[in-house]
Amino acid sequence: MKKLAVNIARLILAVAFILSGFVKAVDPLGTQYKIQDYLVAMGLGRLIPDFMTLSASVLLSTLEFILGICLLFAIRRRMVSKIVLVLMAAMTLLTLWLALTDPISDCGCFGDALVLTNWQTFWKNIVLLTAAVIVWRYPLLMPRLIGETNQWIVMNYSGVFILLVIAGRSLYTLPQFDFRPYHVGTNLRQGWQRMMEGEDSPYAELFMELTDEGEDITEDVLNREGYTFLLVSPHLEQADDSQLDALNQIYEYSLDNGYPFYCLTASTEKGINHWRNITGAEYPFCNTDDITLKTIIRSNLGLLLLKDGVIIRKWSHNNLPDEQDLTGELETSELGQLPSDTVATKILWILTWFVLPLVLLTLADRLWAWSGWLRKRNNNNPLNKEKVIMRKKIVAGNWKMNMNLQDGIALAKELNETLKADKPNCGVVICTPFIHLASIAQFLDQDIIGLGAENCADKEKGAFTGEVSAEMVKSTGAQYVILGHSERREYYKETPEILKEKVLLAQKNGLKVIFCIGESLAEREAGKQNEVVKAELEGSVFNLSEEDFRKIVIAYEPIWAIGTGKTATAEQAEEIHAYIRSIIAEKYGNAVAEDTTILYGGSCKASNAPELFAKPDIDGGLIGGASLKCADFKGIIDAWKK
Ligand code: PEP
């Protein structure tokens, strides 16, 4: 249920962030105007220059889109869920202020694509904030869609797509999807008529008034049969004048062919005269409302072509039609017709160039992971015996009573950075003294390195001075605990009964137990090693249900090899590991035995680890001395890469 809730929340957030980022990126100028509206409402309108609000618009849309993609693919789960939570908390507060004070009518969350009232926006954000809390609380319950090694491709591809292909292209030309009431194909004549008949309409502010005569020509322009060019510039003072030749050519073309040409602007007479002086413009100018002009076309300058009152073409100043386009009459040329690229063809383009490559990459990644799993499954051991490893390979460090807090933190940090940079091919765990746990848990990337204690109490809680309970260990952020180590059995007289209690309490508190067994030198010399390990298992863990036993990791550690520099030979170790697996099979069946991880411990080093780990029944190591130096420990971990 928890997993289901997290993944529903993740999907809701992913869709909301991707959509919201996309529609903002499609119309960066529209988003910039909205940011400016917010700043004006906060009394900061004049303080922030235009280039900063435009950059903020592009960055915001890119951030939202990439966060959405990361949630969808479960990339950098912990970091992303924290950023999303902070963002949603800030947005919810902002929209509460909007809803209460109403300084602007629409929040602009989804650009012009979906207009919500301020209260609707607030409630939408409450839903998204709740989802963000759920995802932040359990980020690791989101299964990854793509392996870690390929995540950077998804992130970079999405970044380039949204930043350059969508936002950049929209800024250079015009929004590729136009959600405003002046998109190509709009019949302005009909819209205007409905408005005149008293219907609610977005064209209430549309007027064109000749600046020289003061005559309102809106109706004439909209009712005219045939073509009309409308040059649009909210403010001629800020208009781009780099394409004047192209513009003058279009004007001459319109004169030659008898198509009216007007420039619509909200500039003052001074601004218009200045424009006339620098460009030699001879076309008539009309006064129009500046917000309407910004809504009509997201470009200063922009050009519109009307046919029978319908908008059939729009151009930004960067891609005005050129000489070759302007041959012949509009009635017979391609330019004079509605463009062939419909919304459907644009969506198809995005599916082909953005969605499809990501789907193919994901499929290839999953296929590769699956074939890797098969390859490992069919891996032959050096004795040419089939080694089917379904179980987890682990290298666990046992720091024992070494290192003060500062040194321990330094070692854990070094190991964390080293393994983040060079990912291990096995599970890695460090088991530290109690006092290190809480501090190390703060920064350890537990996706890569698990953290564990070296012991826990055999009592739940109460007056047991100096003891540390399993619940306390768990509360530090640790996931593992070593139990039954020979040093505790020998020096602290931990009996099988005591260990049985400890195992039960550790599991009750959600800790994974690394349970140590192993014989002394005398027992080995008397040939009693099998008997000893069997009795240790029977005494403390064979009472567990199958389900609970499956959570146990066994560590076989011959006492005579611990810290002595003497190692069991790979053959000796394999022999007894195979025996341990056989008695697990007797007790719980073959499937459980095959899935149980059995580690070897006892003077294991980088030099002997590859030989030991190559044995079919040795699934890794429990490492004492060699876990106290990052390089030594890493050398053992890397044995799984050989
Ligand atoms: C241990 O104590 O668990 C251990 C294996 O120690 P060392 O590697 O130092 O022999």
Side-chain angles (χ1 to χ4, degrees):
M1 280 307 283
K2 209 194 282 175
K3 199 166 176 183
L4 185 69
V6 172
N7 284 289
I8 291 175
R10 160 208 189 173
L11 270 186
I12 293 174
L13 284 168
V15 170
F17 272 73
I18 291 172
L19 261 182
S20 157
F22 183 81
V23 292
K24 285 191 183 92
V26 154
D27 185 7
L29 284 177
T31 310
Q32 179 194 20
Y33 299 151
K34 197 43 90 183
I35 292 175
Q36 286 168 337
D37 287 350
Y38 274 100
L39 292 173
V40 169
M42 291 169 180
L44 300 169
R46 292 181 175 271
L47 294 179
I48 318 283
D50 284 358
F51 81 89
M52 281 181 76
T53 46
L54 184 58
S55 311
S57 148
V58 172
L59 286 180
L60 180 68
S61 55
T62 307
L63 177 72
E64 281 191 52
F65 189 80
I66 291 190
L67 285 175
I69 291 285
C70 285
L71 283 168
L72 189 65
F73 282 84
I75 294 173
R76 298 291 190 129
R77 294 170 290 189
R78 276 192 280 216
M79 189 181 77
V80 166
S81 61
K82 277 183 204 146
I83 299 176
V84 167
L85 181 65
V86 170
L87 212 64
M88 280 321 306
M91 288 298 175
T92 309
L93 284 179
L94 184 71
T95 48
L96 177 64
W97 169 71
L98 276 190
L100 291 173
T101 57
D102 236 7
I104 48 180
S105 57
D106 139 50
C107 72
C109 313
F110 295 106
D112 292 298
L114 179 62
V115 177
L116 301 176
T117 67
N118 288 338
W119 278 112
Q120 282 169 338
T121 304
F122 172 70
W123 291 117
K124 175 212 73 176
N125 280 353
I126 290 288
V127 173
L128 292 183
L129 181 62
T130 312
V133 171
I134 296 173
V135 165
W136 163 78
R137 182 72 188 80
Y138 305 105
L140 301 185
L141 290 188
M142 296 186 275
R144 291 194 178 106
L145 280 196
I146 194 152
E148 275 183 290
T149 40
N150 289 328
Q151 291 179 346
W152 67 273
I153 305 180
V154 176
M155 284 181 67
N156 290 350
Y157 192 65
S158 307
V160 168
F161 172 77
I162 201 70
L163 199 63
L164 300 183
V165 181
I166 301 297
R169 199 167 130 205
S170 292
L171 271 178
Y172 188 76
T173 58
L174 290 175
Q176 292 142 64
F177 294 90
D178 195 341
F179 301 107
R180 283 157 290 126
Y182 294 92
H183 55 82
V184 169
T186 302
N187 191 327
L188 284 182
R189 184 187 293 170
Q190 282 176 4
W192 168 264
Q193 268 162 9
R194 280 202 296 272
M195 194 266 296
M196 294 305 269
E197 284 157 16
E199 270 184 43
D200 239 9
S201 154
Y203 307 108
E205 304 297 326
L206 175 63
F207 64 88
M208 305 171 210
E209 194 180 87
L210 283 171
T211 51
D212 292 340
E213 295 88 352
E215 186 192 344
D216 188 331
I217 58 163
T218 320
E219 212 156 348
D220 292 348
V221 170
L222 299 185
N223 285 334
R224 187 177 185 282
E225 294 304 315
Y227 297 95
T228 305
F229 283 100
L230 297 177
L231 179 64
V232 176
S233 171
H235 298 287
L236 286 163
E237 299 83 337
Q238 291 143 22
D240 183 288
D241 58 6
S242 62
Q243 303 298 324
L244 291 183
D245 286 348
L247 201 58
N248 288 338
Q249 254 170 21
I250 299 168
Y251 177 55
E252 272 164 32
Y253 169 81
S254 73
L255 284 183
D256 291 349
N257 290 280
Y259 306 130
F261 189 113
Y262 300 99
C263 175
L264 311 184
T265 180
S267 285
T268 57
E269 203 182 326
K270 197 170 150 216
I272 295 174
N273 286 337
H274 178 69
W275 181 258
R276 277 193 176 123
N277 288 341
I278 59 165
T279 64
E282 288 175 359
Y283 34 80
F285 287 81
C286 294
N287 268 327
T288 309
D289 169 60
D290 82 320
I291 295 181
T292 305
L293 292 176
K294 286 178 179 171
T295 313
I296 291 177
I297 195 160
R298 297 297 202 211
S299 175
N300 189 14
L301 302 168
L303 185 68
L304 233 70
L305 181 60
L306 298 188
K307 182 187 180 191
D308 306 336
V310 176
I311 301 175
I312 62 162
R313 295 275 169 170
K314 280 169 122 178
W315 297 275
S316 92
H317 56 81
N318 286 316
N319 67 342
L320 291 171
D322 60 19
E323 240 172 292
Q324 279 148 12
D325 301 318
L326 299 170
T327 48
E329 294 186 330
L330 287 173
E331 285 76 0
T332 51
S333 73
E334 201 193 321
L335 205 68
Q337 322 307 319
L338 274 168
S340 53
D341 60 335
T342 57
V343 171
T345 53
K346 290 178 192 167
I347 291 177
L348 194 68
W349 188 91
I350 290 177
L351 289 178
T352 312
W353 292 104
F354 181 63
V355 180
L356 187 65
L358 287 186
V359 170
L360 291 179
L361 176 71
T362 309
L363 287 179
D365 178 89
R366 291 301 83 198
L367 213 63
W368 179 250
W370 179 68
S371 67
W373 177 82
L374 276 186
R375 277 197 306 278
K376 272 183 209 146
R377 202 165 165 263
N378 298 330
N379 210 4
N380 285 342
N381 72 19
L383 300 173
N384 262 353
K385 224 169 79 184
E386 203 174 338
K387 181 179 183 180
V388 184
I389 300 185
M390 301 283 288
R391 47 195 177 262
K392 199 166 178 199
K393 301 168 292 183
I394 296 176
V395 173
N398 173 13
W399 287 7
K400 308 194 182 184
M401 198 172 74
N402 289 299
M403 283 185 294
N404 61 26
L405 182 60
Q406 290 71 28
D407 292 344
I409 288 176
L411 174 61
K413 276 195 174 149
E414 190 186 354
L415 190 66
N416 198 41
E417 290 316 307
T418 308
L419 294 186
K420 265 164 82 174
D422 181 14
K423 299 267 157 46
N425 212 2
C426 60
V428 175
V429 181
I430 49 174
C431 296
T432 77
F434 294 128
I435 60 135
H436 294 76
L437 292 174
S439 312
I440 292 179
Q442 299 297 315
F443 61 81
L444 204 65
D445 184 342
Q446 292 206 34
D447 272 350
I448 303 177
I449 309 178
L451 180 64
E454 297 167 15
N455 179 29
C456 69
D458 60 337
K459 303 286 187 303
E460 202 147 10
K461 63 169 163 187
F464 301 101
T465 305
E467 284 294 277
V468 175
S469 70
E471 191 202 347
M472 292 170 183
V473 170
K474 181 74 181 171
S475 72
T476 63
Q479 307 157 347
Y480 289 84
V481 61
I482 297 176
L483 292 176
H485 194 280
S486 57
E487 286 152 15
R488 294 214 56 91
R489 290 183 197 258
E490 187 181 344
Y491 308 140
Y492 301 94
K493 309 292 171 234
E494 292 192 353
T495 61
E497 292 69 34
I498 292 176
L499 290 171
K500 192 167 160 182
E501 279 311 304
K502 290 190 176 193
V503 171
L504 290 175
L505 285 170
Q507 288 205 333
K508 185 175 164 197
N509 286 285
L511 290 171
K512 292 175 210 157
V513 174
I514 300 175
F515 189 74
C516 303
I517 52 178
E519 78 286 355
S520 65
L521 186 58
E523 286 161 340
R524 161 82 42 177
E525 281 170 353
K528 290 189 173 159
Q529 61 273 24
N530 289 1
E531 221 176 282
V532 172
V533 293
K534 187 171 185 205
E536 285 174 331
L537 289 172
E538 284 175 343
S540 306
V541 289
F542 274 2
N543 56 305
L544 297 174
S545 66
E546 179 188 321
E547 193 191 342
D548 287 338
F549 185 82
R550 278 182 172 277
K551 297 176 199 153
I552 300 267
V553 172
I554 304 290
Y556 166 70
E557 300 202 302
I559 301 171
W560 47 272
I562 295 181
T564 59
K566 277 190 200 163
T567 328
T569 63
E571 286 67 34
Q572 277 176 322
E574 167 58 19
E575 190 182 285
I576 193 153
H577 274 236
Y579 170 72
I580 294 166
R581 204 176 296 288
S582 75
I583 50 177
I584 295 172
E586 260 171 43
K587 172 75 188 168
Y588 292 103
N590 271 335
V592 177
E594 279 307 314
D595 290 350
T596 303
T597 296
I598 308 179
L599 309 180
Y600 169 79
S603 299
C604 184
K605 302 181 279 286
S607 55
N608 56 20
E611 198 191 348
L612 285 161
F613 296 175
K615 294 293 174 193
D617 287 295
I618 302 180
D619 306 316
L622 179 57
I623 319 297
S627 70
L628 298 176
K629 281 206 182 110
C630 182
D632 295 349
F633 195 46
K634 172 82 169 30
I636 299 173
I637 292 164
D638 285 348
W640 278 118
K641 290 190 173 172
K642 292 184 176 136

